Structures are given as structure tokens and as C-alpha cells.
Amino acid sequence: MRIVIGAPANGAALRDTLKAYLGADHRVGEVVDVSRADSTYPAVSFSAGKAIAEGRADRGILVCGTGIGTAIAASKVPGVRAATAHELTTVRGSVENYDAQVLCMGQDVIAAAAAVSLVDLWLDLRHDPASSYATRLVEITDFEASTTQS
């Protein structure tokens, strides 16, 4: 799996912890950090989202103070779904139900050890296209396509 990771300054410490974890995990073939020292949360989120939308990455992890700003910004990239998740139910649901490619976390919200445990789970999660959520995702995708064509 190819993972893109990024954070502005207020998420850099957790990003670095997660990046080190991902780099040592056998399920991850490549980790690309799209952060720069002067990255804003929108810029790093757009960069990560584009890497996924263009097929250069399979999934992404974004970290800011709360995980909310990065999720909003990354979800503006057509075809990308980002979710803020800090506990088991929302991490699981973000992938299994909503097929979110980007996991967003807040450095000010979650301890590094807890974030690593959730990322460990997240790496094994897959969306079930036959689930009851599949038709809702089609509805979202169709709406997105109709608004980007105008």
C-alpha cells in the first residue's frame, strides 16, 4: 500500500511518529511525506488529496491540531473522501462504511500511542462495496460529478 502523509507545523510531531510507524510496517510499500516547513493545512491536504485522486497513493493520513481542518480541505479534492477519526468506531466506519481514503487526526486530541494503534487497525480495513452504504456513496459521487461539470 502506498501512503501519503502530511501535516502543517501544529501536527508535525504526531505526523513524524506515524510516519516512522508506517515506514516500518510490512503492509506499507511506500510512505510519501507531502509536508513542507511552511505548509498550511489546506495546502498539505490538497497535495495529499491530489496524490490519491491521481493514483500516486492509495491512502493518506493528515494531521493538524484537531484533524477537522485537514478533513475539510482534503475532501475538496474531487473523488477524495477524508474523515476525522480518533477512536475505534469512527476509524472503522470511515473505511468500511464510507470508503474514506484519508484518515485525519488531531495532534491536540489524541495521544501518539493511541493514534498508532488506530493506524494499525486502519491499515487492515477495507470498504465493502456490497454494504448498505454503497448506494449512498454512489449518491455522493454522482452529486460531486454533477457539481464539478458545470
Side-chain angles (χ1 to χ4, degrees), residues 39-51:
S39 292
T40 62
Y41 79 84
V44 75
S45 301
F46 300 151
S47 182
K50 286 179 186 178

Side-chain angles (χ1 to χ4, degrees), residues 38-118:
D38 62 345
S39 292
T40 62
Y41 79 84
V44 75
S45 301
F46 300 151
S47 182
K50 286 179 186 178
I52 292 165
E54 294 169 0
R56 294 180 282 120
D58 301 305
R59 287 189 184 174
I61 297 176
L62 294 168
V63 182
C64 63
T66 63
I68 297 169
T70 53
I72 291 170
S75 291
K76 297 297 182 186
V77 177
V80 174
R81 289 173 302 282
T84 302
H86 292 111
E87 45 70 43
L88 179 64
T89 301
T90 54
V91 169
R92 189 177 290 281
S94 73
V95 176
E96 290 178 346
N97 297 337
Y98 306 109
D99 198 19
Q101 309 102 314
V102 182
L103 173 62
C104 299
M105 294 181 153
Q107 180 172 288
D108 299 339
V109 178
I110 189 167
V116 167
S117 293
L118 291 174

